[in-house]
Amino acid sequence: MKLSLAVVALALAIPTASYAQDSTAVSTGQYPNTFSSGSANVSPFTNQSKRFNDWSISAGAGVPLIQSADLTSIKNGNGKNLFGYSAYISIDKAITHAFGLKLQYDRGETRQGWFNTKDAAPDATAVGARTQYDAISLLGDINFSNLLRRVDNHSPFRWALHGYAGIGTIAYRAYQKDIKGQRLATEVKPFKLGSMFMQAGAGLKFKVNRRIDIEGRVMYVVTGDDEFDGGGDKYSAINRREEQVSDNFFNATLGLSLKLGKHESHVMWHDPLQEIYYKLDVLANRDQDIEVCKKGDADNDGVCDDWDRQLDTPAGARVDGAGVALDTDLDGVIDLYDKCVTVPGPVENNGCPTTPTAGPVIETETKLEGIEFDLNSDRILPSNTPILNNAVNYINSSTGSYNVIGATDTRGTDAYNQKLSERRANNVKNYLIKNGVQNGKINAIGKGEKDLKYPECEPATKCPEWKNRANRRVYFEAK
């Protein structure tokens, strides 16, 4: 029975240990999935990208002491101070820097009662017992030192407090001895429902070097069995001494851990904050120069060629956000060359009317374009200010009255776009009034998405963004 448990543990240990070979990170050169990672500066986490060892083998020996039973190993219980022996071996896998799993095999012998079963019974009332056990369990391992490490603690550490808890199967043979001699009281086979047990405890590890750790550990084992102490069946006179139905014991051990893998550090000894400090140092030393205009600005109008819609703007001309030279009165002569900026005129007359007028030119219709807006916004952009200031001068010099018409692109519902266009028109109207235009000369009208500058942009996905932006506008029209 003991041999079969050892064979099972070894069979589970060999294949897991064989995979304990990490390798250095290798970049594939593929662009990462930024929608799932949240950053472009990432690489997929694979076995090849690991930078820390995460496998180890542990072994140790110690002393088990039955604490809660009808026969105990402690003097102030139902027995004298009797010391048994125990040993364990485990395969350890670190899942994160603060949590891991252990597949552990335990073997040992507890001694309990009023005398050591190697000796003769001192009198007719004395009862002694010993229990030989084998157990396999799966334990969770919490690294409290990494889990609770202070943010401002930059010093390296060589001590680590671990907590363990898990379940498994235990097989045992319990012997009872009295003045009549020794006999097998109870035998439990492994992998049966009644052989399940639990254990939990804590261990303090000391890092000797990158390969070896020393650990002192105290575990509390709950057998769930009232016959583990050798008291016989549950109706025997000995097992009626106490009311508890589980014989439990402490197991104090001292052991070694051998860390496997080819990296310098094991993940459970790696301070997670060190990774942050390392990355901050890398970013601090990295060239952070950002290339704003990859294609340059050929016409030096302040708008990069990447999104400049007029690449040959004359030197000195004022432009809108798309790099197009301003033509306030829309007469075909840009403001740089226009002698009458706010009054339209033919090109051959430098943008001024050819017929002399005694007063302001009266027009039936004019459009001051270039007043564009961000998506879902009615805020007047700083780039619109020069156009609006020119509009103030033009309207004040004219005897007519004008409609301030707001429009949107085709994104959003009709009702939403209608209200948005009205807000845009009213914001422009308020700006003009605030800057000197008479209230009676202008009227705000919203046309929503019914007045597209580029009608082909329906839906908006059919057009580039600059056309959709041109559709999000306010313009002027004579009444």
Side-chain angles (χ1 to χ4, degrees), residues 210-227:
R210 61 180 289 264
R211 287 296 182 192
I212 301 294
D213 295 339
I214 297 176
E215 180 182 25
R217 190 189 302 179
V218 176
M219 302 293 291
Y220 190 70
V221 180
V222 179
T223 67
D225 191 333
D226 194 24
E227 302 178 22

Side-chain angles (χ1 to χ4, degrees), residues 311-428:
L311 296 175
D312 57 351
T313 305
R318 294 183 301 167
V319 298
D320 60 15
V324 178
L326 294 179
D327 179 11
T328 302
D329 54 11
L330 300 176
D331 58 1
V333 181
I334 64 174
D335 292 354
L336 177 66
Y337 304 133
D338 199 331
K339 300 301 183 182
C340 302
V341 175
T342 60
V343 181
V347 175
E348 56 271 15
N349 200 36
N350 296 321
C352 289
T354 57
T355 303
T357 58
V361 176
I362 299 174
E363 298 178 330
T364 58
E365 181 180 13
T366 184
K367 294 185 179 181
L368 303 179
E369 301 215 9
I371 307 173
E372 299 176 351
F373 293 83
D374 287 334
L375 181 65
N376 294 335
S377 173
D378 58 8
R379 184 177 67 90
I380 296 176
L381 300 173
S383 60
N384 293 333
T385 304
I387 304 174
L388 293 175
N389 292 338
N390 288 335
V392 170
N393 297 330
Y394 175 74
I395 294 173
N396 285 337
S397 65
S398 172
T399 59
S401 58
Y402 296 87
N403 290 326
V404 180
I405 301 174
T408 69
D409 61 21
T410 57
R411 281 173 284 202
T413 64
D414 291 346
Y416 175 81
N417 286 335
Q418 178 62 33
K419 292 181 180 179
L420 179 59
S421 66
E422 292 171 0
R423 293 201 307 271
R424 288 172 175 171
N426 281 313
N427 279 356
V428 171

Side-chain angles (χ1 to χ4, degrees), residues 6-16:
V7 170
V8 171
L10 185 61
L12 291 172
I14 289 175
T16 53

Side-chain angles (χ1 to χ4, degrees), residues 125-145:
T125 60
V127 178
R130 61 186 177 92
T131 304
Q132 298 174 340
Y133 66 88
D134 297 88
I136 294 178
S137 57
L138 183 65
L139 300 176
D141 176 3
I142 298 179
N143 186 342
F144 287 108
S145 294

Side-chain angles (χ1 to χ4, degrees), residues 69-71 78 114 125 127 176 178 183 226 229-243:
D70 301 287
L71 296 174
N78 297 317
W114 300 99
T125 60
V127 178
Q176 185 184 117
D178 54 21
R183 61 186 177 279
D226 194 24
D229 62 349
D233 66 75
K234 60 182 179 179
Y235 298 110
S236 66
I238 295 177
N239 270 341
R240 289 200 298 268
R241 292 181 180 180
E242 301 290 342
E243 294 182 357

